[in-house]
Amino acid sequence: MKMNNIVHTFNIGNNKYAFDYRNILFCLLDEDTEEALRFALSGNSLSEAPYDSAPTLNALIKSGYFISEYPDSPVPEHKYDILNISFAPVNDCNFLCKYCYAKGGEGTSHYQTAYDEEKVDKMLRSIYMGKYAHFINYKFDFVSGGEPLLDFDILDSFLRKLREYDKELNKNTTVLIVTNGTLLNEEIIRKLDEYDVFLGISVDGPREVHNRHRVYKDGRNTFDDVAKGISLLRSSPVVSSKLKDAWAMAVITRETGSLVDVMETCVNLGFKRMQMQLIREVHEHPLAIGKDDIKRVKEHYKDLFTHIISFAEKGDLSRIKMIANGNDSFGKFLSRLLLRTPVYYRCFAGKNKIAVTASGEIYPCDSFCGLNNYSMGTIDENTDNESVTTLFEEAHIQNRTKCSKCWARHICGGDCYYNSYLISGNILEPDPIKCEINRFFIENAIEMLIKIKMINPNHIEYIAKILRLN
C-alpha cells in the first residue's frame, strides 16, 4: 500500500517544526521525534520505527497524521448562507494615492455611470427581490471606486433603502464602509451610527510613511487630517462603541519600512483591529513588491512577529488580536491555523461574492470591474454569463496546477485571482512572489502560535475563542 507524506518540515533558527497540512496539525520537533518522523517518512514500516522515544508521534501517525494512504479528498460542496456585495457609490475621490488603481476616480471608466436615488432603489430591489432573493444574510462593502463620503447624499440613500428592505423583507444585512477619514464630521458620524455600519479607515502608518503615498489631489499631505477625523470619531459622546471600534486599513508597499511602526501608529490612533494588505500591482509598478524586495519585506515581518510575541510574554495579547482576522495578509493564516480551518478557494469571488457597478454590471469582485471578459452579466435577473461563473466555481486549489502540489495549499487557498491576472493574465496562475511570501507567512504563523502556547496555553485558547465569536 502506497503511503503519502502529508507533512511539511521546516527550520526557523535552531528550531524544527512539522506541519500536517491536510489535517492542519503542527508541532515543534525535538531531536528524538525528528529522528522518528524522518524514519517514518522514508517509507519504513511503522512496526520497525524507533518510536519508544516518541510515543506521541507514534500515536499520531497511527491515527492518520503526517502519513496517509489516502489522496486529497474532493473539494467539499459549499453552501453559501451570505451574499457579499461590493458597491462603489461614488467614483470620485479627494485623494490621489500613488498606488490607487482608480487614480483618484480618473482611471475608472467602467464606473463613470453614477448612482442616483432611482438607480439605488432599482439596484437594491434587484438584489433583495430578484436573482439573489434566496439569501437571508447580506454584506455590503462600500470600499471601491472612490471616497464613499464624498457624496454622502447617495451613500445615505443606499443605507436608508437597504435598512428599509431589511425590515420589510426580514433580511439581515451588515455594512462595511471604508473611508480615508478626512470627511468625517459630527453629522456623518451620527448618521453612520444610526445605520449600524462597520467602519474602516485607511492609515498606512506613521505620518511620513502615510504622507508619502496618500496625498490630496493637489499634492498636500493628509495624515493630520485623517488623525483629526479619527479623533472626532473616538471622542463623540453620542455614537456607539461599534462605530468607534473602526478598523485600520493599511497598504504595504515596497517602501513601507517598519511594520512595527505601522502597527504602533494605529494603536496610538486608538485602533484595536487592523488589516495590513500587501499591495496588488504588476511587478513593474514602482511600489510593487518585487523579487529584490522579498528579503527586506520578510525582515520587516520578522521584526513584527518578535514585537507581537514580546507583548504576549507580558500577558498582553492586544497585538496578536489586532491582526488575527480573515482580512490581514498574515493574520488570516494565524486564524486558519488556530481554528484548523482548511480553505479550498482564495476567496468566494464569483460565487457568493460579487461587485455591482452603477450601470448594473456584475463582476466577481471590485478589482475585476471593467474587465469585460470577467463580466458575469447584469443585475437583470435574466442575464448571466455562465462561463465566468463556472470559471470561478472551479478556481479551487485542486484546479490551480501549482497550488495543487504545494504544501501550503489548505491554509493559503491560492493567490488572489486578480493579482494572478495582473501578473500572468490567468487567474489560475499564481504570482511566484506572493507564493513565496505566503509560505513564509504560514511557517512563521506556526512558530508564533507554538511560542505563544509555550508562554501560556490559555493564550491560544483565548484567541481561538475570540475568533470563533467573530
Side-chain angles (χ1 to χ4, degrees):
M1 179 183 301
K2 181 182 178 182
M3 304 296 284
N4 301 298
N5 294 348
I6 53 174
V7 63
H8 169 64
T9 58
F10 60 96
N11 291 76
I12 297 181
N14 296 323
N15 294 327
K16 186 155 191 171
Y17 302 90
F19 173 45
D20 178 335
Y21 46 80
R22 186 183 297 172
N23 297 297
I24 312 182
L25 181 79
F26 48 89
C27 60
L28 174 66
L29 299 174
D30 60 27
E31 188 173 323
D32 290 339
T33 307
E34 180 186 351
E35 178 186 355
L37 182 59
R38 187 185 307 115
F39 187 90
L41 294 177
S42 298
N44 295 290
S45 169
L46 294 180
S47 61
E48 299 172 1
Y51 283 136
D52 290 343
S53 59
T56 302
L57 178 67
N58 181 24
L60 287 171
I61 290 178
K62 287 183 177 179
S63 298
Y65 293 97
F66 300 125
I67 303 171
S68 175
E69 63 184 278
Y70 304 107
D72 270 5
S73 301
V75 175
E77 184 177 347
H78 192 86
K79 293 183 178 180
Y80 305 113
D81 59 358
I82 184 169
L83 178 67
N84 297 272
I85 313 107
S86 179
F87 275 119
V90 179
N91 306 322
D92 198 6
C93 189
N94 57 334
F95 278 24
L96 189 58
C97 301
K98 295 179 183 178
Y99 49 65
C100 179
Y101 75 97
K103 298 180 175 60
E106 298 171 5
T108 52
S109 59
H110 51 282
Y111 279 135
Q112 293 313 303
T113 302
Y115 280 108
D116 55 34
E117 287 212 19
E118 182 180 349
K119 288 179 180 176
V120 167
D121 190 53
K122 179 181 178 182
M123 191 74 63
L124 292 176
R125 280 191 287 106
S126 297
I127 288 172
Y128 284 120
M129 304 177 189
K131 65 195 300 180
Y132 301 109
H134 59 285
F135 286 95
I136 299 297
N137 302 304
Y138 300 81
K139 181 174 183 290
F140 284 79
D141 291 337
F142 297 91
V143 300
S144 60
E147 166 53 47
L149 303 186
L150 201 59
D151 186 344
F152 192 73
D153 288 341
I154 288 297
L155 181 61
D156 181 64
S157 179
F158 261 113
L159 298 174
R160 184 180 68 255
K161 288 288 185 182
L162 69 84
R163 289 307 181 208
E164 289 174 0
Y165 284 126
D166 253 7
K167 185 175 181 180
E168 177 185 341
L169 302 173
N170 195 28
K171 303 289 188 178
N172 177 36
T173 304
T174 59
V175 178
L176 169 66
I177 297 172
V178 177
T179 172
N180 62 39
T182 60
L183 301 177
L184 289 171
N185 59 42
E186 291 183 0
E187 181 182 359
I188 287 176
I189 290 171
R190 180 180 56 79
K191 277 277 194 176
L192 293 178
D193 196 43
E194 288 178 3
Y195 290 126
D196 193 29
V197 306
F198 291 97
L199 196 62
I201 301 177
S202 298
V203 182
D204 276 0
R207 179 180 282 101
E208 65 275 12
V209 174
H210 179 96
N211 285 339
R212 192 180 302 153
H213 302 136
R214 297 187 64 80
V215 296
Y216 285 115
K217 283 189 172 181
D218 61 7
R220 288 180 297 122
N221 293 333
T222 64
F223 181 87
D224 290 342
D225 288 344
V226 174
K228 286 178 184 176
I230 295 169
S231 177
L232 183 66
L233 172 67
R234 304 284 185 214
S235 62
S236 174
V238 296
V239 302
S240 67
S241 58
K242 175 180 177 178
L243 190 70
K244 290 183 179 182
D245 191 22
W247 286 57
M249 309 288 197
V251 175
I252 306 304
T253 75
R254 66 184 302 272
E255 295 182 356
T256 295
S258 170
L259 300 179
V260 173
D261 289 348
V262 173
M263 174 176 278
E264 290 308 309
T265 297
C266 293
V267 170
N268 292 335
L269 289 169
F271 291 103
K272 296 179 181 178
R273 298 185 293 176
M274 69 180 302
Q275 65 175 55
M276 290 186 271
Q277 284 279 2
L278 297 178
I279 186 173
R280 293 199 299 261
E281 263 298 352
V282 293
H283 292 164
E284 295 76 22
H285 191 282
L287 297 178
I289 296 171
K291 188 175 181 180
D292 294 338
D293 304 308
I294 294 176
K295 181 179 179 181
R296 184 173 65 257
V297 170
K298 288 181 178 180
E299 289 171 352
H300 289 315
Y301 266 101
K302 277 288 193 182
D303 291 341
L304 179 65
F305 303 155
T306 300
H307 183 69
I308 292 170
I309 292 170
S310 72
F311 273 79
E313 289 173 340
K314 296 179 288 188
D316 186 345
L317 301 179
S318 61
R319 299 317 189 260
I320 190 171
K321 283 166 57 181
M322 281 191 79
I323 62 169
N325 59 71
N327 301 308
D328 186 86
S329 288
F330 168 72
K332 64 184 178 183
F333 300 132
L334 282 172
S335 177
R336 293 167 188 172
L337 288 165
L338 260 176
L339 300 181
R340 299 184 67 187
T341 306
V343 292
Y344 298 88
Y345 293 91
R346 165 56 172 76
C347 66
F348 291 111
K351 295 175 284 297
N352 71 322
K353 178 181 179 181
I354 58 171
V356 184
T357 68
S359 57
E361 295 173 317
I362 305 173
Y363 292 90
C365 79
D366 48 287
S367 296
F368 283 98
C369 286
L371 298 174
N372 293 332
N373 289 342
Y374 293 97
S375 171
M376 298 174 64
T378 71
I379 203 68
D380 185 327
E381 188 172 4
N382 297 317
T383 60
D384 279 299
N385 188 338
E386 293 184 2
S387 63
V388 175
T389 301
T390 300
L391 174 65
F392 280 85
E393 285 178 348
E394 296 180 351
H396 51 72
I397 52 175
Q398 293 182 6
N399 282 342
R400 303 179 81 171
T401 304
K402 292 182 180 178
C403 297
S404 68
K405 301 172 183 177
C406 179
W407 62 264
R409 61 188 180 273
H410 289 295
I411 294 296
C412 173
D415 183 28
C416 164
Y417 300 120
Y418 181 69
N419 189 68
S420 293
Y421 167 80
L422 278 179
I423 304 306
S424 68
N426 182 351
I427 70 166
L428 301 180
E429 182 71 19
D431 174 8
I433 290 175
K434 289 298 194 301
C435 290
E436 180 174 346
I437 292 175
N438 284 346
R439 288 191 288 264
F440 163 81
F441 280 163
I442 295 170
E443 289 182 346
N444 282 271
I446 288 171
E447 182 186 51
M448 180 182 290
L449 293 175
I450 288 176
K451 284 187 173 182
I452 291 176
K453 186 171 185 178
M454 292 171 68
I455 293 168
N456 187 337
N458 292 331
H459 287 349
I460 292 298
E461 294 174 9
Y462 172 69
I463 298 167
K465 181 179 179 180
I466 291 174
L467 289 171
R468 291 189 189 98
L469 290 174
N470 292 334

